Structure formats: C-alpha cells, structure tokens
Amino acid sequence: MLSLVWLWAAFACVRYEEIHFEDVPRKLVVNAIASPEGLRAHVSKSALVTDNQTDFELPSAQVSVFVNKYYQGDMVLDDDPADSVNFRGQFILPGYTPQADEEIIIEASSDGFRTARGETRFPVPCRIERVDTTRLRPTTSPTAPDDSYRLRFHVRIADVPTDTTLCYRLFLNQVVTIERDGERWVYSTLASSAWESLYGLYYNYNPLGEYGGSTSIFAGIELRYEDSAFKSYGESGGLEQLDASYGLGTFVSDGVGEDQTIYFSVNPMMTSYRDDSTTVQVDYVVYLLSISEEYYNYFQSLRDYSFKLAGVEFGSLLESAASYGNVTDGLGLVASYQMDSVVIHMPFDTIPPRFP
C-alpha cells in the first residue's frame, strides 16, 4: 500500500509544459570554393529540424560574381540529371580562372529570400621545394615488425616574398595500385566512395587474397601533425600535443621555422611489393594548400568538435554552436585555395603487404 502511495505522489508531481518555437526566417545557404580550376558554388535553403519534409535544394537561384568590385558574370547551373549522389544547385562560372590577390564576391538571390553575399581573397601560389622521409620505430617495442613503423615526412616549403601572414593546409593521401592476373585496382584514402578507398579494398573486396592479413576492417591512415606550427594552445604541453593531432593540418606562416620545414608522420607505413603474379605499388601524395583566411578560420572552428582526451570525445559534450561562416544575410562559407603536391613512390620490399 505504501508503494502505491509513493507511485501516486511521483505522478502527481509531473507537470507538462507547452514549448513554442519562434519563427525563424529561412535563409539562403551558399558554399563556394575558388581554385586554379575555376569557381564552383552550391546554393540551397535552410531548413528546420522540426520540418516534416526537409526540402533544401534550390537549383533556381541566381548567382552573380564580382571580381575586384567589378561584375564578372552570372554562374550557370551545372547539375547532372543522371547524378543521384550530389545535391541539386551546383553552379560554375565558365571561362574564369582566379588570379592571386583577386577579391571574389558571390551574391546569391532567389524569390522569397534576402540576397546572400560572401567574399574571399584568392591566395598567392604555394610550392613544395622538397620532401624527405624517415622511418620511426615504435618506442614501446624495439623489435616491432617493419609494418608497425611510422613514416615521417619532412616537407620544405618555398619561401613567399610577402610581409602578409599566409595560411596553409598540409595533408596526405595514400594510394595503393594493385595489378594481378591482368586486372588493376586503385584505392585511395581520399576516394569519393568506400568502394574506391582502402576501406573498400579491405571491407568490400580484397584482390590481394592471402596477402590481405586479418579480417578486420582497414580504417585508413593515421596522420600525426608533430610540428609546433600546428599547435595553438600556448604553454599547455598536453593540449598542444592533442591540438596537433586534431588541427586538420592547418597552420600559418608565422609558425614555420627558419628552415621552412614542416614535420608530420603517418601510420601504418606501407611499402610496395612485387612477385610473379602480383604488383602492389604504394604511393604517398603530399598536398600543400595556400588557403584563404576564411578557409583557415573554418577548419580552426572544427577542431572544437573533434577533441578527444583519455578516450572521451569532448566535442560531443560541447554546447551546440554554429560553425564558422562568412556569408552575410545567409549561411555558408565562401573560400579559396591554391595547391601543390609531391608524390613519394615507396620502394619495393620482399614482404607482402598487410592491412591491419
């Protein structure tokens, strides 16, 4: 009887409140990138999580481009009707190639929305002068096998004669090309789909057969940004080390040493292999991007959502917040970059490759 009284008392304390959400005006969403290949943009419209149907595509928008304050032209729709992967609302500007230090302004408009505007300054070119590599033996296991080594990259950046602080991004792609019995497969950690990636190589189909190692899923490569140029937490050594791992490869020229060399490493280190029937060519492609300030600020804002300490993902515990954007009267990011790359062909070894 006493239990029933306590149960009745608990339900008697329940109170239901009706919550009313304010009407939020819909906005245009403009994401655009300028590169040496030209100018591309995607235009859509914002949607609320409370909407029953999230219809955000907007291929009917009008997108105008201004370069150094002068009208350059209107972007044209570049949607492929047969493309079921990319969202509609993709735009390009035919015949335009951005030049260093140009100010690019994009204005998008559509009936029922305020005109959204974003701008970026096209960065100066960047160049990789030289890339050297060294093998790092695991400190916890002096007798560890070769495929547990890390590969360290020493990337020397060409000096740019300017007094302005430059923003960069440095990252890596691992490409594995397999030829066997007259067939050829190419897998990449930067592939657009799982089937084409190293994840696809291991999880979907493994042409290496007995060379494939265990049955676990290959999760890609682990980049470790070791150089102090990637760190931004001041005197906190522990946080600096984590920041280097989660900084997404972005840094500024002020943080580069006098020798203009940046260091990072990758695990696992793979070597090429060849026998009578199989050839496995392993390439590492080092990418250096000179990026606009908006590009840099966007990636810096993402680090707060990928911060892990002692196995706890602190990014998921943060209060919700908008990521960085530079579009006025709308949402999104308008940015730009220039790029250089160097390919490192790994030497052939006598040990068949393993995928952990």
Side-chain angles (χ1 to χ4, degrees), residues 146-314:
D146 288 349
D147 57 9
S148 63
Y149 279 59
R150 299 188 70 86
L151 184 64
R152 173 180 283 170
F153 294 83
H154 309 241
V155 183
R156 185 169 182 176
I157 302 172
D159 191 21
V160 178
T162 178
D163 295 333
T164 305
T165 299
L166 304 177
C167 302
Y168 292 101
R169 188 183 182 204
L170 186 66
F171 61 95
L172 187 74
N173 186 22
Q174 185 184 63
V175 182
V176 179
T177 303
I178 303 171
E179 296 183 9
R180 190 179 194 187
D181 298 330
E183 294 188 81
R184 186 173 185 266
W185 301 268
V186 179
Y187 300 95
S188 163
T189 53
L190 296 182
S192 58
S193 68
W195 176 259
E196 299 168 337
S197 67
L198 289 175
Y199 173 91
L201 160 65
Y202 208 75
Y203 185 62
N204 294 313
Y205 177 65
N206 183 6
L208 289 177
E210 66 271 20
Y211 302 138
S214 65
T215 56
S216 62
I217 298 174
F218 184 77
I221 59 177
E222 176 201 3
L223 286 182
R224 183 174 297 169
Y225 292 103
E226 306 170 355
D227 200 278
S228 59
F230 299 106
K231 306 172 186 179
S232 63
Y233 280 107
E235 299 179 357
S236 176
L239 289 179
E240 277 190 357
Q241 184 176 0
L242 288 169
D243 180 63
S245 298
Y246 291 96
L248 300 168
T250 54
F251 62 99
V252 294
S253 56
D254 291 348
V256 182
E258 293 183 0
D259 61 353
Q260 294 292 111
T261 302
I262 298 289
Y263 303 90
F264 71 97
S265 63
V266 63
N267 181 58
M269 185 192 77
M270 294 180 60
T271 55
S272 302
Y273 173 78
R274 180 187 290 131
D275 61 18
D276 294 338
S277 61
T278 304
T279 299
V280 181
Q281 176 65 56
V282 178
D283 296 327
Y284 289 100
V285 187
V286 180
Y287 292 96
L288 175 68
L289 278 64
S290 59
I291 59 179
S292 64
E293 186 177 351
E294 304 82 29
Y295 196 143
Y296 176 81
N297 290 336
Y298 172 73
F299 275 96
Q300 289 295 302
S301 71
L302 292 184
R303 79 171 65 230
D304 294 334
Y305 298 96
S306 58
F307 181 75
K308 185 180 291 184
L309 182 62
V312 178
E313 181 60 63
F314 281 88

Side-chain angles (χ1 to χ4, degrees), residues 39 63-74 93 96 102-108 117-120:
L39 179 63
V63 187
S64 301
V65 178
F66 301 84
V67 176
N68 295 332
K69 310 297 184 183
Y70 292 96
Y71 173 72
Q72 181 72 28
D74 288 342
L93 184 61
Y96 171 61
E102 283 186 340
E103 182 186 52
I104 304 170
I105 299 174
I106 293 180
E107 291 186 354
R117 182 180 184 275
E119 65 180 271
T120 182

Side-chain angles (χ1 to χ4, degrees), residues 24-29 44-48 51 55-56 113 331:
V24 178
R26 303 302 174 89
K27 297 182 179 181
L28 291 180
V29 181
S44 60
K45 53 188 175 182
S46 63
L48 300 177
D51 290 344
D55 178 21
F56 55 83
F113 296 90
L331 303 171

